[in-house]
Amino acid sequence: MKVGVVGASGYVGGETLRLLVNHPEVEITTVTSRQHVGEYLHRVQPSLKGFTDLTFSELDYDKLTDNCDVVFTAVPHGTATEIVKALYDRGIKIIDLSADYRLHNQEAYDKWYGWTHPHPDYLEKSVFGVPELHREEIKKAQLVSCPGCMAVTSTLALAPLIKNDLIDTDHIIVDSKIGSSGAGSGSGTAHAMRAGVIRPYKPAKHRHTGEIEQELSEIAGSKIKVSMSPHAVDVVRGILCTNHTFLKKDMEQKELWKIYREAYGDEKFIRLIRDKKGLYKFPDPKFLVGSNFCDIGFDFDEDNNRLIALSASDNLMKGAAGSAIQNMNVMCGFDEMSGLRYTPLTPV
């Protein structure tokens, strides 16, 4: 499969390339960057040294059409709309890592992003890229939009609870902690500004809330409201979502285990974590770095009828590039784990 990557100078683009250079079914033919045309990839993404001699090129739709079966778009939010449309109109399969085609209606972009989507008729052509929820649609899709990192991590923990009508859907609270790489490769990630940090940002109306509400509402068949507050923390990679929900009925631990196993028992990239011994009883992003897993666990607060669904992932993997490769595998009929058979890195 001949593959191109549009916008590969940032963290997500670099992580996508890291996975693609070792993918057994893939040949990377074209990689674009506006500011690095003519430079070797490894000068911008040093981890690629010795794996490829490709150089960055300009964005050329004819070249992409002639040389690519699949194109990953890893450009900043708000700049993918025209690129994706142009590629779609040329019949190329697209896996978009921006937010520009994640939401299904134009009004949602006005609400969560503050701008009007210029191509609302293309939103319905996009499939939300979570194979655990939309595998059959992804198989047939030309355009897949990868989810936001906090959105996919929390949604996977909450989806079985919604599907089985276990929780009060008027009171769902998502508390997310995310590492500095989630902010991109800009100056805000400098060590002096991140060390020792537990910083709330966008504690109300964070844009990933729209994705979570969209996906859970589809499962429920009715409108679901979610309250989400993210925090920047002093790690480079990783997300922990503490999802506070309130049960409609009393449940035993074994009942909830059964529900999660029925939902995810056959899924290669979801691990259920709840240990009675040791320090690591619940999902911990430290033990997911470099992998495409999403770990899910839970605990009960009987006094308040509260079910705490915990989920963790590497924001650059399951939260971005890993999901993108997993989606490509599904779209193209490859083994879903192809190019993603990495155990987490420990220690980090």
Side-chain angles (χ1 to χ4, degrees), residues 134-161:
H134 302 297
R135 185 170 284 108
E136 294 308 311
E137 298 128 283
I138 292 168
K139 287 179 181 179
K140 298 177 285 187
Q142 183 186 340
L143 169 60
V144 171
S145 183
C146 293
C149 51
M150 288 180 286
V152 66
T153 306
S154 58
T155 298
L156 286 171
L158 292 167
L161 309 180

Side-chain angles (χ1 to χ4, degrees), residues 19-321:
L19 299 174
L20 288 172
V21 293
N22 287 308
H23 197 293
E25 307 287 350
V26 161
E27 175 191 355
I28 306 172
T29 60
T30 309
V31 181
T32 79
S33 171
R34 288 181 302 171
Q35 64 268 51
H36 299 294
V37 174
E39 291 282 5
Y40 286 108
L41 301 190
H42 64 75
R43 290 216 174 111
V44 178
Q45 305 288 359
S47 62
L48 299 179
K49 180 75 172 180
F51 287 89
T52 176
D53 291 325
L54 279 174
T55 59
F56 289 104
S57 61
E58 293 180 328
L59 176 60
D60 184 326
Y61 292 118
D62 291 334
K63 183 178 179 181
L64 288 168
T65 302
D66 292 341
N67 293 296
C68 300
D69 303 301
V70 178
V71 172
F72 294 83
T73 49
V75 296
H77 305 316
T79 62
T81 52
E82 301 303 327
I83 296 171
V84 168
K85 179 181 182 300
L87 294 170
Y88 190 96
D89 291 345
R90 286 166 169 78
I92 299 174
K93 289 181 182 289
I94 309 148
I95 300 168
D96 183 26
L97 286 133
S98 82
D100 291 8
Y101 288 88
R102 290 174 185 165
L103 301 176
H104 294 164
N105 62 75
Q106 188 175 29
E107 292 76 18
Y109 280 95
D110 294 330
K111 176 179 180 178
W112 295 108
Y113 287 86
W115 49 268
T116 300
H117 202 288
H119 305 296
D121 49 328
Y122 281 71
L123 296 177
E124 63 185 24
K125 303 177 189 295
S126 177
V127 175
F128 196 66
V130 183
E132 293 81 4
L133 302 179
H134 302 297
R135 185 170 284 108
E136 294 308 311
E137 298 128 283
I138 292 168
K139 287 179 181 179
K140 298 177 285 187
Q142 183 186 340
L143 169 60
V144 171
S145 183
C146 293
C149 51
M150 288 180 286
V152 66
T153 306
S154 58
T155 298
L156 286 171
L158 292 167
L161 309 180
I162 298 290
K163 183 178 180 181
N164 288 276
D165 194 26
L166 299 180
I167 58 174
D168 174 3
T169 56
D170 291 328
H171 299 92
I172 301 172
I173 301 167
V174 177
D175 183 321
S176 294
K177 310 291 193 297
I178 185 169
S180 59
S181 58
S185 55
S187 60
T189 63
H191 177 74
M193 303 306 295
R194 294 290 307 214
V197 157
I198 305 175
R199 180 189 300 134
Y201 69 98
K202 209 60 173 149
K205 301 179 181 179
H206 189 281
R207 62 195 183 193
H208 286 187
T209 309
E211 299 172 44
I212 302 169
E213 290 185 351
Q214 170 183 279
E215 293 303 297
L216 297 183
S217 296
E218 286 188 8
I219 293 169
S222 60
K223 180 63 177 175
I224 301 292
K225 301 289 285 184
V226 172
S227 300
M228 186 179 96
S229 296
H231 302 75
V233 296
D234 186 11
V235 298
V236 174
R237 296 166 71 129
I239 294 174
L240 176 65
C241 291
T242 305
N243 306 286
H244 301 274
T245 69
F246 298 87
L247 289 164
K248 290 183 175 181
K249 61 179 182 179
D250 292 336
M251 290 194 70
E252 294 185 7
Q253 178 180 322
K254 62 182 182 181
E255 294 179 272
L256 196 54
W257 269 122
K258 182 179 179 181
I259 285 167
Y260 273 115
R261 286 195 180 106
E262 286 177 349
Y264 298 132
D266 295 328
E267 293 296 342
K268 304 296 186 184
F269 292 113
I270 293 184
R271 305 187 301 186
L272 301 179
I273 307 291
R274 194 174 191 270
D275 202 337
K276 294 181 179 180
K277 297 181 180 180
L279 292 174
Y280 310 112
K281 296 181 176 70
F282 299 105
D284 186 334
K286 185 176 181 67
F287 304 107
L288 286 158
V289 173
S291 79
N292 194 50
F293 296 110
C294 178
D295 286 357
I296 297 173
F298 61 87
D299 205 1
F300 288 111
D301 171 13
E302 292 88 351
D303 288 345
N304 297 292
N305 207 35
R306 182 168 58 110
L307 168 63
I308 307 100
L310 297 147
S311 49
S313 71
D314 180 337
N315 56 286
L316 290 180
M317 285 291 291
K318 189 61 173 173

